[in-house]
Amino acid sequence: MTDPFTLAMVAIVALSIAGIPVGLAMMSGSFLYLILSGFDPSIASEQLLQGLFNGYTLLAIPLFILAADIMNIGSLADRLLRFCQALVGRFRGGLGHVNVFSSVIFSGMSGSAVADAVGMGKIIINMMTKDGKYPPSYAAAITAATATIGPIIPPSIPMVLYALVSDQSVGYLFAAGMAPGLLMAAVMAFMNWVMARRRGFPVDEAVPLRELPKITWEALPALMLPVILLGGIYGGIVTPTEAAAVAAAYALVISVLLYRSVTFRAFWETLISGARSAGAIGVLIGGSLTFNYVITREDVPNALAAFLQGMDLSQTGFLIAINILILLLGCILEGGAILLIVVPILIPAVQAMGIDLVHFGVIVVVNAMLGLITPPYGLLLFITASITRQPMGAIVRDIWPFIVALLVALGIITFVPDFVLFLPRLLGYQG
């Protein structure tokens, strides 16, 4: 007779393939396991409630989503793009550089790759494709690629999810993402420069330097948001969750009172949209909390740790294997599912190999973001394809150079831990 754990896994996979949300599939599989194993099914509810009751940090997720949505309906994105264009638009492939630079700035506000692609992405794609300056497929590809910076530079919703399963400090994880995020931006800017020279992309008309102070002044309230956000966290004034609330409130105040660009109807629709997004993530978290009880009962993490130790891998070999595993999983699984299902199983093995958990968190999140631009799942590819109405094949052909550049950055992030941990250590991290 097949054991309950195997049947539960089969049920989760089958339901997911059938189109059931992964969170609901995990809940259903967990209930099946408890019933077949003779446990009280109410244990699942108990695990769910305990996990949410102790997960104060999780409140940051809907608040960061709300902040990003408010910035998208206000004129913040337009002002930020004008600022970026004034700074880097004058170079060869200038609007591509604007795309990269604007993602770096917006990532310090939203914490979400999807918010970056949907909000700033729509505007910059229209700018790039206007008058045939750039092929729509290239505009879609670079927009999808640069959106992966969003959850790496703090704040970061995936980092919050990783903190939940690894019991690490959100503040230190945020700090650890800063240098890797800037590295990702640098390699993509370099690749855009190479592609611009190879394909003869235009040099845009330079914004006169005398206009730069005015453009900077108009964008300053928006530019101050990351400063307030990160300054509050690392200054010990607010927790990451409180910082998310401050970000949402600040975005609303400057959009309504200063820029006067948000109507009540638009704000109401934003609340509804944000609630739906937060609810979808909440279902995924709920499913992971119940399923994690199942894998703990089955002692899967320790069994996997023993198996990997038995393979006698070096730390370098182990990290290569983990990168390959998560990159492959990213082709078929959503990033949140990887963080909440796969990572808890790997953590005991990571600790046994002597790998720092904050460093490992950055590796995992970068891998998960790469999954957003790799087929067949590639959520960011689908988003930019819907914006540009370009065939997926054309976008995939144009995004491969950026994937290669990001893989180079991933190698540095993986094998030079001091590069990742330098800033957290300056802030007091002992790892």
Side-chain angles (χ1 to χ4, degrees):
M1 180 179 178
T2 307
D3 69 282
F5 181 71
T6 301
L7 290 174
M9 290 297 299
V10 170
I12 292 171
V13 172
L15 290 172
S16 299
I17 293 174
I20 303 297
V22 176
L24 293 178
M26 285 192 291
M27 289 184 191
S28 301
S30 300
F31 273 111
L32 178 64
Y33 171 85
L34 293 171
I35 292 170
L36 294 178
S37 300
F39 295 114
D40 185 348
S42 65
I43 292 176
S45 302
E46 179 186 350
Q47 294 297 313
L48 176 58
L49 291 174
Q50 285 184 355
L52 294 177
F53 181 77
N54 296 321
Y56 169 72
T57 304
L58 294 177
L59 285 174
I61 294 175
L63 292 169
F64 280 133
I65 291 173
L66 178 60
D69 287 346
I70 292 172
M71 285 183 281
N72 284 334
I73 63 171
S75 62
L76 278 77
D78 296 302
R79 294 170 190 267
L80 288 173
L81 279 176
R82 286 183 61 200
F83 172 74
C84 296
Q85 189 174 14
L87 288 182
V88 298
R90 64 188 70 239
F91 305 113
R92 172 72 64 179
L95 287 179
H97 294 309
V98 172
N99 202 320
V100 176
F101 191 43
S102 62
S103 289
V104 170
I105 296 177
F106 197 73
S107 66
M109 306 177 190
S110 69
S112 166
V114 173
D116 191 335
V118 172
M120 300 285 279
K122 288 181 181 178
I123 304 172
I124 189 65
I125 285 174
N126 289 335
M127 290 172 61
M128 293 182 71
T129 55
K130 186 178 180 181
D131 300 326
K133 292 179 180 178
Y134 293 80
S137 60
Y138 183 82
I142 191 172
T143 300
T146 58
T148 60
I149 302 172
I152 310 302
I153 293 177
S156 166
I157 292 173
M159 294 287 191
V160 174
L161 294 178
Y162 177 80
L164 171 70
V165 299
S166 66
D167 198 28
Q168 297 300 298
S169 162
V170 174
Y172 289 141
L173 285 166
F174 280 4
M178 184 67 75
L182 294 176
L183 174 65
M184 292 167 65
V187 298
M188 282 191 283
F190 174 77
M191 185 55 68
N192 175 67
W193 176 79
V194 171
M195 298 296 291
R197 289 179 63 86
R198 181 178 299 172
R199 299 175 64 171
F201 292 151
V203 177
D204 299 303
E205 184 178 348
V207 175
L209 291 177
R210 65 178 180 274
E211 295 184 16
L212 186 57
K214 178 185 176 182
I215 294 172
T216 303
W217 177 256
E218 291 176 346
L220 186 61
L223 293 171
M224 286 300 295
L225 181 52
V227 177
I228 294 171
L229 196 66
L230 301 179
I233 293 173
Y234 298 121
I237 301 171
V238 293
T239 66
T241 303
E242 292 164 346
V246 170
Y250 180 83
L252 181 61
V253 168
I254 63 173
S255 296
V256 173
L257 299 182
L258 185 60
Y259 295 151
R260 301 181 184 278
S261 57
V262 175
T263 64
F264 178 79
R265 179 181 179 83
F267 178 60
W268 177 252
E269 290 175 351
T270 295
L271 289 177
I272 294 174
S273 172
R276 287 173 178 161
S277 299
I281 295 175
V283 169
L284 182 60
I285 293 171
S288 72
L289 289 171
T290 55
F291 185 65
N292 284 345
Y293 174 79
V294 173
I295 64 175
T296 301
R297 289 285 312 182
E298 290 290 311
D299 203 28
V300 173
N302 290 330
L304 178 62
F307 171 75
L308 292 173
Q309 286 178 299
M311 294 177 65
D312 199 27
L313 290 172
S314 65
Q315 191 177 94
T316 299
F318 178 79
L319 286 171
I320 292 173
I322 290 295
N323 273 310
I324 292 172
L325 171 65
I326 300 178
L327 283 171
L328 291 175
L329 289 174
C331 293
I332 56 174
L333 284 178
E334 191 267 333
I338 293 173
L339 288 165
L340 294 170
I341 303 172
V342 180
V343 171
I345 300 175
L346 296 174
I347 283 178
V350 171
Q351 291 175 308
M353 295 296 296
I355 298 169
D356 183 88
L357 286 182
V358 170
H359 177 217
F360 181 68
V362 175
I363 294 172
V364 168
V365 173
V366 172
N367 271 292
M369 293 308 101
L370 279 170
L372 294 176
I373 57 173
T374 51
Y377 183 76
L379 178 59
L380 293 177
L381 298 178
F382 288 109
I383 290 173
T384 55
S386 68
I387 295 172
T388 58
R389 302 188 184 279
Q390 290 294 298
M392 185 64 69
I395 298 174
V396 170
R397 281 194 298 272
D398 279 335
I399 205 170
W400 275 114
F402 295 101
I403 293 176
V404 171
L406 288 172
L407 287 173
V408 172
L410 176 61
I412 296 172
I413 292 165
T414 301
F415 299 113
V416 188
D418 289 340
F419 175 75
V420 176
L421 298 175
F422 172 74
L423 186 55
R425 286 168 179 162
L426 281 182
L427 297 171
Y429 181 59
Q430 300 299 314

